[in-house]
Amino acid sequence: MDELKRFTKIALTREGIRGAITPYSLVDFSDLDMVPACKTMSDADIGGFSTASLDQIPGTASQPAHARFHGSISIDLPRNRPQVQRTGYAGWRNKDRPPTLFGKSLWDVDPYTYLAFRVKSDGRKYLVNLQTESIVYTDLHQHRLHARKPGEWETVLIEINAFVRTNHGEVVEPQTEMMRQKVRTVGVSLTDRVPGPFDLAISRVWASNDDSGDDWYDKLVDAEGLEKTL
């Protein structure tokens, strides 16, 4: 129903002709149902010792409601699994969403130039991961989450065309265009293999054609202008 409303609005406002104006929300952790709709992953799934949690944090006067992605990276190898030769990673992503009247629940970010992330980073080298309805199910499209102000809330913009197709951490050649009309999941991972704790706060993820960053986000929150789909 939310998708039907969005498509109807696009048709009525002619955004499909002149380009999308309204930002398109993908993940909003002010929604209490959002964290349960996500899953965490780490090398613990194959016997490693890294940990990962995704916790709901209520909003306050000084910070928005958000999810806290935290844990610890370990590069120790499990002694009883000689086939495991590499550890040291953790991540989260949304689970596949329930189908709609139109079929699978997929995000269409084709009308947009950027993905925007409202985050407070600890300065570690996180990756943003997108899954699409790719022929190869294990393909990801990845890009660094370049936080400029560790310890502070900021909006990080990533050009959607800048994502790189990978599979199991390796760049895939030849590169093929992302299926921007059929995005299944969005998430963040830490694969730098630097042992020790990590802590990343994520408030929202949305698609946008506006490149004005933090100033624009402040106006957006004041106006409650996000086109919610979750």
Side-chain angles (χ1 to χ4, degrees):
M1 185 61 67
D2 288 325
E3 285 293 275
L4 178 59
K5 290 179 181 178
R6 193 173 76 88
F7 289 134
T8 301
K9 181 178 179 181
I10 289 173
L12 292 176
T13 60
R14 304 183 68 194
E15 284 191 10
I17 299 173
R18 66 174 187 260
I21 299 172
T22 307
Y24 180 27
S25 178
L26 307 186
V27 173
D28 182 356
F29 284 114
S30 67
D31 182 347
L32 296 180
D33 292 329
M34 191 66 244
V35 167
C38 295
K39 63 181 293 186
T40 59
M41 305 82 69
S42 75
D43 57 57
D45 298 332
I46 57 171
F49 302 97
S50 298
T51 61
S53 297
L54 190 70
D55 300 329
Q56 179 77 43
I57 308 297
T60 66
S62 60
Q63 65 179 2
H66 62 276
R68 181 186 174 210
F69 174 51
H70 64 105
S72 184
I73 295 296
S74 170
I75 58 173
D76 293 340
L77 298 175
R79 294 182 180 180
N80 59 343
R81 295 191 180 184
Q83 73 275 18
V84 177
Q85 295 296 312
R86 186 178 178 88
T87 57
Y89 62 87
W92 69 269
R93 68 167 177 84
N94 66 285
K95 300 173 185 175
D96 286 339
R97 297 178 297 149
T100 69
L101 293 174
F102 302 97
K104 290 184 178 180
S105 290
L106 302 170
W107 288 304
D108 180 3
V109 299
D110 196 42
Y112 299 92
T113 303
Y114 304 100
L115 280 189
F117 292 76
R118 188 66 175 176
V119 298
K120 182 172 68 173
S121 175
D122 57 4
R124 295 192 65 158
K125 297 179 180 179
Y126 296 93
L127 290 173
V128 174
N129 307 312
L130 300 181
Q131 284 183 305
T132 69
E133 285 288 275
S134 171
I135 295 175
V136 182
Y137 187 81
T138 52
D139 276 356
L140 291 176
H141 288 82
Q142 297 185 302
H143 195 283
R144 272 282 305 277
L145 183 67
H146 288 289
R148 308 177 307 280
K149 306 173 186 176
E152 299 179 25
W153 283 100
E154 62 179 305
T155 301
V156 178
L157 298 176
I158 302 173
E159 288 194 28
I160 297 173
N161 284 339
F163 279 82
V164 175
R165 180 185 169 211
T166 67
N167 194 292
H168 295 292
E170 301 292 334
V171 175
V172 175
E173 296 293 351
Q175 288 287 304
T176 56
E177 186 174 354
M178 185 196 308
M179 299 177 69
R180 297 165 55 121
Q181 303 92 339
K182 296 183 177 182
V183 176
R184 286 179 46 235
T185 70
V186 59
V188 174
S189 62
L190 182 60
T191 61
D192 62 6
R193 305 192 72 245
V194 177
F198 63 89
D199 201 329
L200 175 71
I202 313 104
S203 174
R204 301 191 191 204
V205 182
W206 68 97
S208 176
N209 283 320
D210 194 306
D211 64 356
S212 52
D214 291 342
D215 292 340
W216 175 82
Y217 176 83
D218 293 336
K219 295 176 184 177
L220 176 149
V221 171
D222 290 340
E224 285 298 320
L226 280 174
E227 184 71 34
K228 295 187 178 181
T229 62
L230 288 170

